[in-house]
Amino acid sequence: MNGPLLRADGDLRADLRSTFGWLTTRDIEEQYADVTGWWRSPAILPRLGPALAELFADDEPTVVLGLASRGCLLGPLVAVHLGVGFVEVRKDRYPATDADAWLQTRTPPDYHDQQLDLGLRRELLRSTDRVLLVDDWVATGGQALGARSLVERADASWVGLAVLVDALTEPATRRDLRVRSLVNVREL
């Protein structure tokens, strides 16, 4: 694990920065975010749920959505802290049977310029729900916009997007999605 030995009572933002790294490959000049130190650290992991939940505590969400895969790691941590349920948003997943009702949508292009099919089981979102989406990173907002479309199709209310890292370059998208983060990508 990168960085110094961490204490559970330390500054979470500083701990996130100290255990983060950028990975590169020899043949490609692109950098990749390495957040695996966050999951490995027993001083960081238990603080992630409460910290992300606190970003929207005053909005009183009734359910947390998490995008596969890392949103499904973080979402339950947030849901447990808020005392609400969790719903997984799956990528490229379709109903198993005709009786398995799903809400589905296609995302705008993501950071790899790819569109994804997102879906969730229809019965898991109610029109009375106040929905908080949780993920580790937001770059273009494409997947979050797709998730919000699912929320709207369920006639539920969108609370916002709680992320560990905000890498959005478009302020309008940040405002539109109501993004709140623990760290901005420029800090890493």
Side-chain angles (χ1 to χ4, degrees), residues 47-127:
R47 295 185 294 160
L48 295 177
L52 288 167
E54 188 60 33
L55 296 173
F56 285 94
D58 292 341
D59 293 280
E60 300 178 1
T62 61
V63 68
V64 171
L65 290 186
L67 292 159
S69 68
R70 291 180 180 157
C72 291
L73 170 72
L74 294 167
L77 298 174
V78 174
V80 166
H81 185 77
L82 291 171
V84 301
F86 171 76
V87 176
E88 174 185 15
V89 177
R90 295 187 179 185
K91 297 175 185 175
D92 300 321
R93 173 75 160 88
Y94 295 93
T97 67
D98 291 340
D100 188 17
W102 278 60
L103 294 172
Q104 297 175 308
T105 192
R106 180 157 266 227
T107 68
D110 66 10
Y111 60 97
H112 289 297
D113 203 29
Q114 297 175 342
Q115 291 181 289
L116 299 170
D117 293 316
L118 299 181
L120 57 85
R121 292 193 56 200
R122 173 63 187 102
E123 68 186 31
L124 299 177
L125 277 188
R126 300 176 186 101
S127 62

